């Protein structure tokens, strides 16, 4: 009798099914949720704007948020040249789409108000979100996420 080596069709089918199942789990686990990433980036920016406002009040000096669209980041800035600026990069995919600001920054005054009102629009995939500040209270307001 001859002995044949190889796999049966049943063994091959089971192996392919296991590989497809593993691939689908990996693919679904790494899927990017553009909407959630954009919302989180906007919330972090809003929190840093509140931090800059509170810091301006407590230190009695101008503190602001400076945007750099080229490097897709922003930083907290002060009048003190010895203060080291902390750069915050937006997560992968989130970009500064446009901003309507004086000298690319929000600047909080010592009384907690903002120098000028402005907007920053962030974009991620097909979604955009707008952050607006008002002169009176200096509050950063997040507008609902819009899709294209």
């Amino acid at each position: 009798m001859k002995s044949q080596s190889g796999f049966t069709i049943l063994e091959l089918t089971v192996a392919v099914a296991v590989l497809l199942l593993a691939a689908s789990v990996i693919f679904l686990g790494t899927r990017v949720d553009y909407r959630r990433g954009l919302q989180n980036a906007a919330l972090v920016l809003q929190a840093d704007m509140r931090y800059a406002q509170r810091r301006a009040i407590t230190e009695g000096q101008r503190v602001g948020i400076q945007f750099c669209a080229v490097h897709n980041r922003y930083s907290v800035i002060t009048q003190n040249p010895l203060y080291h600026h902390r750069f915050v990069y937006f997560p992968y995919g989130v970009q500064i789409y446009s901003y309507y600001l004086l000298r690319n920054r929000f600047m909080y005054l010592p009384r907690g108000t903002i120098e000028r009102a402005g907007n920053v629009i962030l974009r991620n995939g097909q979604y955009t979100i707008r952050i607006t500040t008002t002169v009176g209270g200096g509050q950063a307001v997040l507008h609902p996420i819009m899709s294209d």
Side-chain angles (χ1 to χ4, degrees):
M1 294 192 120
K2 284 186 178 177
S3 78
Q4 295 181 347
S5 62
F7 298 106
T8 65
I9 193 77
L10 182 63
E11 291 171 330
L12 287 174
T13 305
V14 169
V16 168
V18 168
L19 286 174
L20 287 175
L21 181 65
S24 67
V25 167
I26 290 171
F27 176 73
L28 292 176
T30 59
R31 187 186 67 166
V32 177
D33 188 0
Y34 291 110
R35 189 177 179 95
R36 181 168 295 160
L38 182 63
Q39 182 74 28
N40 289 342
L43 288 172
V44 168
L45 175 58
Q46 183 184 32
D48 281 340
M49 291 172 73
R50 286 182 184 150
Y51 165 74
Q53 182 183 28
R54 287 187 182 103
R55 192 163 165 201
I57 293 169
T58 57
E59 294 179 6
Q61 67 175 347
R62 297 162 58 105
V63 179
I65 303 286
Q66 177 82 40
F67 292 92
C68 179
V70 174
H71 296 105
N72 203 38
R73 68 182 184 198
Y74 65 90
S75 61
V76 177
I77 59 172
T78 64
Q79 292 176 329
N80 184 357
L82 298 177
Y83 175 72
H84 296 287
H85 302 300
R86 174 180 65 101
F87 293 112
V88 178
Y89 291 88
F90 287 107
Y92 178 75
V94 177
Q95 295 180 340
I96 302 171
Y97 183 63
S98 66
Y99 41 84
Y100 306 102
L101 305 168
L102 180 66
R103 293 188 297 270
N104 304 333
R105 66 182 182 194
F106 289 113
M107 187 59 75
Y108 289 96
L109 303 174
R111 62 181 176 269
T113 60
I114 201 156
E115 187 176 59
R116 284 200 176 176
N119 294 319
V120 173
I121 298 173
L122 301 178
R123 188 177 183 91
N124 190 1
Q126 64 183 7
Y127 300 107
T128 58
I129 192 166
R130 183 168 50 109
I131 303 167
T132 305
T133 59
T134 57
V135 175
Q139 297 298 319
V141 178
L142 291 179
H143 296 275
I145 293 179
M146 306 286 289
S147 63
D148 293 339

